[in-house]
Amino acid sequence: MPLHHELHGPAEGDAVLLSPGLGGSAGFWSPQLAALVEAGHRVIAYDHRGTGRSPADLPAGYTIAEMARDVLEVMDATSTPRCHLVGHALGGLVGLQLALDAPARVASLVLVNAWSRPNPHSARCFEARLALLGACGPRAYVEAQPIFLYPAAWCDHNAQRVAAEVEHALAHFPGEANLRARIGALRAFDVDARLGQITAPALVASAEDDVLVPWTCSQRLAEGLPQASLDRMPHGGHAHSVTEAAAFNRRLLAFLARVGAPGVPA
């Protein structure tokens, strides 16, 4: 079944493909859409397979490589030969895998709080989240989700927004089997020894107060990728593209301006 995808911006613009994290929803990138379109980019957003508007039963042993093949499907469906791929967390892993499997299709990478190999802290977080899901069900799982995404002060200041997001996540919960398959895929991901093979320019964006993925994972990415720069923000949490959207967008647009001029197809 074709994946749900959306096109925004001018048809002739530089192609920017947005790959969300574990939640899998194109809506995660709402804080970036207007800025990218205003800068002249052709923006492609999609729902990952088995989430949101791309329903599917994910198989056991599901992999990041399969998710990368889904990106190629979206690119082919939108007549996109190359793209600047912006990926958040799991979406960043998909970008790394795509750059290894189909390097000619990747003009650049923006990796937001991503990683190249498993780490014990994130593993502990995912174990706790899966235990909560198994023992208490989807409601408890999605109620806990903002703790891992956002700084506490931001959640407090945006309490109504967070509550609405929780209800939306519960209404669109992908099912326990699919969620476990997606978490299994990201936990098995390890391309640390292959980072030197990825020659696309990369912006590695991290937040130092990310409670789910240590910012040092981004540091390792930046050190291992041949053409990478590390952008460290002191505050914003795991989803700092949401909580510090204006600052994030400035950095994103500056990077894209360096690696490809709008109006020239990627």
Side-chain angles (χ1 to χ4, degrees), residues 12-102:
E12 71 279 5
D14 227 13
V16 177
L17 188 142
L18 304 174
S19 186
L22 181 59
S25 172
F28 175 81
W29 298 107
S30 295
Q32 280 68 59
L33 280 180
L36 287 166
V37 170
E38 287 171 10
H41 297 287
R42 176 176 179 256
V43 183
I44 306 162
Y46 74 107
D47 288 357
H48 285 197
R49 189 175 303 279
T51 73
R53 293 158 292 183
S54 298
D57 292 328
L58 301 179
Y62 193 53
T63 66
I64 298 296
E66 290 175 274
M67 298 185 201
R69 288 195 288 272
D70 282 341
V71 172
L72 291 176
E73 177 183 308
V74 171
M75 292 177 69
D76 290 343
T78 56
S79 300
T80 305
R82 297 180 77 212
C83 73
H84 302 282
L85 191 146
V86 183
H88 175 256
L90 182 150
L93 312 191
V94 173
L96 288 166
Q97 188 69 56
L98 185 65
L100 288 167
D101 294 346

Side-chain angles (χ1 to χ4, degrees), residues 208-225:
E208 294 177 5
D209 62 348
D210 186 342
V211 300
L212 179 59
V213 180
W215 73 265
T216 48
C217 294
S218 291
Q219 183 179 49
R220 186 173 185 89
L221 275 174
E223 291 172 349
L225 292 167

Side-chain angles (χ1 to χ4, degrees), residues 66-184:
E66 290 175 274
M67 298 185 201
R69 288 195 288 272
D70 282 341
V71 172
L72 291 176
E73 177 183 308
V74 171
M75 292 177 69
D76 290 343
T78 56
S79 300
T80 305
R82 297 180 77 212
C83 73
H84 302 282
L85 191 146
V86 183
H88 175 256
L90 182 150
L93 312 191
V94 173
L96 288 166
Q97 188 69 56
L98 185 65
L100 288 167
D101 294 346
R105 307 297 295 272
V106 179
S108 73
L109 293 168
V110 179
L111 308 169
V112 186
N113 291 323
W115 59 93
S116 60
R117 65 178 183 179
N119 76 84
H121 173 77
S122 297
R124 185 177 299 111
C125 291
F126 284 117
E127 284 290 347
R129 295 173 77 178
L130 289 173
L132 187 62
L133 175 62
C136 302
R139 163 65 75 176
Y141 177 90
V142 298
E143 288 283 3
Q145 188 163 283
I147 298 171
F148 295 98
L149 284 176
Y150 308 129
W154 189 91
C155 283
D156 184 51
H157 186 69
N158 295 275
Q160 289 186 330
R161 173 176 174 172
V162 171
E165 286 185 5
V166 166
E167 294 305 321
H168 184 271
L170 185 62
H172 297 86
F173 190 72
E176 183 171 345
N178 276 8
L179 185 59
R180 288 184 179 276
R182 285 171 60 74
I183 291 177

